[in-house]
Amino acid sequence: MSNPKPEELVRIDYRPPARDWMDPAVEFRKGTFCYSALPKSLKYLGLPNPREWQPFDKDWKLPPDWKRIILDGMKERLEKFRSFRLFMDICVRCGACADKCHFYIGSGDPKNMPVLRAELMRSVYRRYFTSAGRMFGKLAGARDLTEDVLKEWFYYFYQCTECRRCSVFCPYGIDTAEVTMIGRELLNLVGCNINWVLEPAANCFRTGNHLGVQPHGFKDSIDFAVDELEEITGVRVEAPINKKGAEILFIVPSADYFGTPHYFTLLGYLLLFHEIGLDYTFSAFASEGGNFGLFSSHEMIKRLNAKVYAEAKRLGVKWIIGGECGHMWRVLHQYMDTMNGPADFLEAPVSPITGTRFENARSTRMVHICEFTADLIHHRKLKLDPSRNDRWRVTFHDSCNPARAMGLFEEPRYVLRNVCNHFHEMPENTIREQTFCCGSGSGLGTDENFEMRMRGGLPRANAVKYVRDKYGVNMLACICAIDKATLPPLFDYWVPGIEVAGVHELVGNALVLKDGRERTTDLRGEPLHEEKPEEAHA
Ligand code: SF4
Ligand code: SF4
């Protein structure tokens, strides 16, 4: 079956379905769900019930006591996570979140309203953990935990990208992403997980990165980037790996050295660090900042994140800089310190170039590359020629996690305004904390899930279409590896003519090197356009 065309997909039916929401039956229709995890990935990670199965199978081969396992798991988490119990209890069903989820906007399926997504879990909570639910059952909004309910959880908790947009609008601050996270944890207990989450997690566990690249492959890729930069700029940069005693450990998402357009961001970092003479090192083991544990369980987050501090300690660095990645930063900013810290063997980060003390990173000892670069620009430590990016009319997509999980709104914009002459914001209700997700985050960026991804990405694509049509925007900059992978196909589908780049690719283009020769191409190897583009068309 071929993928639906945009003109078909855009006809969204928002009429409520005739079926009662309590009916859990789900149709696993091709294009709207992700395939199950391969047993070998579960085995690598020591997860329960590895087996061959698929969501569309009638028999999911659950363990005989699956129901007890789920309810025990729920009880344990209700006791452990106060937020979970609170989110189960306090929703007043005001509906403020209902139309805020990109999956609801793009699909019209009411079970993709955050309130109803969480209600799939709450109904079971009421049935087994509240007196009203035990006594009055359906009348109190309670449902028995059945295999159909479990299947429904799987379908809808893997149609949530854990983007947290809904939480911005909830008067009680209910974070449905956290309900999804618990839902996925519970599903894990009986071996129901998706491959695009567990395979990267298993690879990370074995080799330090999602792609399963061995240390020599990592080194080859960095060496290749160094050679390529020499061809473009005439300058040979150093890119140290595992250098003991370096001042700073630099950790990026592995897509930066193997994906496109991510790779051009890597070239940008390398040029920047060369220009300022930074004493830094990569690690061949912490060769991945991304953490697919976030999409699996708290335990998995902790296990995969441990390498960051372990490598910082082994290499004897003073502090850490992290590259352009979305969920990596949610983990680093919100979980790392409590899960794997305190990192009291590191120093509070101070820029060796400007002397700025990054007070915000005093505890984690890890600074975002955009914070670091914005500070360099602010202190006039970089010579920049923004006209080298003149062929681009740029907009900025706030990636969900750096935006909503760490409030990183201004630094990337400050950098972009200094390295580009043509920058245009998307509409206000689609940026900063209200940003719309790419629709493919949290492990949902698979080919088999294409229709749902396109539906989920529709609101973001729509805002991009607005600035394309109004200002002639042809480039979207972002600071997330998943965005860089999933937005190009989304735009090809909904709004052709938009390229995607990392912020540091554009920095690398604009950077005038002290020892560089006249540049004739940008970091993509394409000729630099010096002429002034036409004025905006509207
Ligand atoms: S906005 Fe908050 S309280 Fe209102 S329905 Fe949504 S989750 Fe419940
Ligand atoms: S976290 Fe994002 S994807 Fe999940 S329900 Fe909320 S808005 Fe939708």
Side-chain angles (χ1 to χ4, degrees):
M1 197 181 79
S2 59
N3 293 320
K5 296 195 165 41
E7 53 276 21
E8 294 162 6
L9 222 56
V10 83
R11 286 197 293 269
I12 302 162
D13 186 358
Y14 290 106
R15 287 172 304 176
R19 271 191 311 134
D20 190 314
W21 75 268
M22 282 207 168
D23 178 354
V26 165
E27 183 198 351
F28 283 93
R29 192 165 51 78
K30 208 169 173 347
T32 66
F33 66 94
C34 300
Y35 293 152
S36 63
L38 296 174
K40 70 172 186 190
S41 296
L42 277 76
K43 285 181 195 157
Y44 276 134
L45 294 164
L47 294 178
N49 202 18
R51 69 207 185 282
E52 297 284 351
W53 72 287
Q54 283 301 344
F56 45 76
D57 293 343
K58 195 168 170 2
D59 179 5
W60 279 22
K61 300 178 191 161
L62 298 170
D65 55 347
W66 70 268
K67 195 165 160 177
R68 180 194 57 74
I69 294 171
I70 295 277
L71 292 175
D72 284 355
M74 208 163 164
K75 179 169 182 289
E76 187 189 329
R77 282 158 185 79
L78 285 165
E79 284 161 5
K80 191 169 167 189
F81 301 108
R82 284 171 60 201
S83 55
F84 179 41
R85 182 175 284 276
L86 201 68
F87 295 163
M88 289 295 98
D89 279 331
I90 64 170
C91 173
V92 292
R93 300 186 204 161
C94 68
C97 62
D99 59 351
K100 304 304 186 293
C101 176
H102 48 287
F103 282 116
Y104 172 66
I105 297 171
S107 71
D109 180 345
K111 288 189 180 173
N112 272 322
M113 291 177 178
V115 54
L116 200 39
R117 193 188 311 284
E119 203 68 14
L120 305 180
M121 170 83 71
R122 265 188 212 111
S123 53
V124 173
Y125 163 74
R126 287 195 199 100
R127 168 67 184 80
Y128 298 95
F129 298 96
T130 69
S131 308
R134 279 195 202 98
M135 283 193 290
F136 302 114
K138 271 191 168 186
L139 280 177
R143 293 191 304 177
D144 286 342
L145 178 60
T146 63
E147 272 199 45
D148 280 344
V149 167
L150 197 78
K151 290 178 178 179
E152 187 191 39
W153 280 10
F154 181 91
Y155 192 66
Y156 289 104
F157 292 139
Y158 285 103
Q159 278 183 14
C160 166
T161 42
E162 302 180 5
C163 78
R164 308 173 78 218
R165 186 170 195 267
C166 47
S167 70
V168 173
F169 299 90
C170 174
Y172 293 94
I174 293 175
D175 187 349
T176 304
E178 292 204 7
V179 178
T180 292
M181 287 168 74
I182 297 289
R184 291 186 183 191
E185 278 202 29
L186 295 175
L187 287 160
N188 265 326
L189 297 177
V190 291
C192 297
N193 8 53
I194 66 169
N195 202 51
W196 195 231
V197 169
L198 283 204
E199 190 166 320
N203 284 339
C204 224
F205 203 55
R206 285 184 303 116
T207 67
N209 58 69
H210 293 156
L211 301 168
V213 175
Q214 305 281 350
H216 54 276
F218 171 68
K219 182 170 183 332
D220 282 352
S221 187
I222 298 287
D223 287 350
F224 184 80
V226 168
D227 289 344
E228 194 152 28
L229 272 177
E230 190 171 12
E231 275 176 36
I232 295 170
T233 64
V235 168
R236 186 143 191 100
V237 306
E238 266 189 64
I241 299 173
N242 295 343
K243 179 181 156 192
K244 287 201 172 175
E247 181 170 0
I248 291 162
L249 171 62
F250 183 47
I251 297 182
V252 301
S254 58
D256 281 0
Y257 47 89
F258 275 103
T260 306
H262 315 62
Y263 174 71
F264 307 118
T265 307
L266 173 72
L267 298 185
Y269 304 143
L270 294 178
L271 272 189
L272 175 71
F273 293 167
H274 167 84
E275 182 61 13
I276 59 174
L278 196 70
D279 178 17
Y280 78 103
T281 183
F282 287 101
S283 155
F285 177 48
S287 52
E288 173 71 74
N291 186 326
F292 269 48
L294 182 68
F295 314 139
S296 173
S297 71
H298 291 84
E299 175 62 18
M300 197 64 71
I301 297 174
K302 185 174 174 179
R303 284 165 70 184
L304 298 186
N305 178 254
K307 65 180 181 287
V308 174
Y309 282 154
E311 278 298 86
K313 196 168 202 171
R314 184 179 73 86
L315 296 170
V317 301
K318 290 185 182 164
W319 54 283
I320 312 168
I321 295 180
E324 294 186 9
C325 186
H327 68 282
M328 153 179 163
W329 271 100
R330 176 142 177 229
V331 170
L332 300 175
H333 193 261
Q334 295 196 311
Y335 298 108
M336 178 166 73
D337 194 18
T338 37
M339 282 183 173
N340 296 111
D344 44 15
F345 57 94
L346 294 172
E347 295 178 11
V350 176
S351 169
I353 315 300
T354 66
T356 297
R357 179 174 288 271
F358 293 97
E359 293 292 347
N360 56 318
R362 197 173 35 195
S363 172
T364 59
R365 320 269 155 117
M366 190 151 180
V367 172
H368 194 289
I369 183 80
C370 282
E371 295 169 328
F372 183 71
T373 304
D375 176 64
L376 292 172
I377 295 173
H378 179 71
H379 285 92
R380 300 180 192 284
K381 297 294 181 188
L382 303 179
K383 188 170 175 202
L384 298 165
D385 176 2
S387 74
R388 291 197 188 146
N389 284 315
D390 269 0
R391 74 187 176 106
W392 305 120
R393 288 176 182 275
V394 181
T395 193
F396 179 66
H397 161 66
D398 293 270
S399 306
C400 299
N401 288 303
R404 277 189 284 266
M406 61 184 296
L408 195 76
F409 302 134
E410 300 311 326
E411 290 87 342
R413 288 179 166 80
Y414 180 74
V415 173
L416 284 173
R417 287 184 193 283
N418 279 279
V419 301
C420 305
N421 283 322
H422 307 284
F423 177 74
H424 303 278
E425 291 278 18
M426 287 182 273
E428 215 173 305
N429 61 345
T430 72
I431 57 172
R432 293 193 164 85
E433 66 269 30
Q434 296 191 45
T435 187
F436 272 113
C437 180
C438 63
S440 300
S442 83
L444 308 190
T446 63
D447 287 346
E448 72 265 20
N449 192 35
F450 185 83
E451 177 183 327
M452 215 53 205
R453 288 168 54 198
M454 295 304 107
R455 288 187 182 281
L458 175 61
R460 172 40 79 220
N462 204 27
V464 172
K465 183 176 183 305
Y466 177 82
V467 283
R468 184 197 66 178
D469 295 350
K470 185 161 184 185
Y471 304 113
V473 161
N474 57 2
M475 168 62 81
L476 176 139
C478 59
I479 49 172
C480 168
I482 289 181
D483 285 335
K484 287 173 200 163
T486 63
L487 287 175
L490 183 83
F491 296 154
D492 284 348
Y493 188 82
W494 288 120
V495 50
I498 306 290
E499 300 270 341
V500 174
V503 167
H504 280 78
E505 176 187 337
L506 302 176
V507 170
N509 283 342
L511 194 60
V512 180
L513 301 173
K514 290 194 252 328
D515 49 356
R517 63 164 183 243
E518 187 67 21
R519 263 199 253 175
T520 54
T521 68
D522 63 14
L523 294 182
R524 297 184 178 205
E526 292 173 16
L528 286 172
H529 286 227
E530 299 294 344
E531 73 268 24
K532 203 170 163 22
E534 296 159 25
E535 287 308 308
H537 6 118

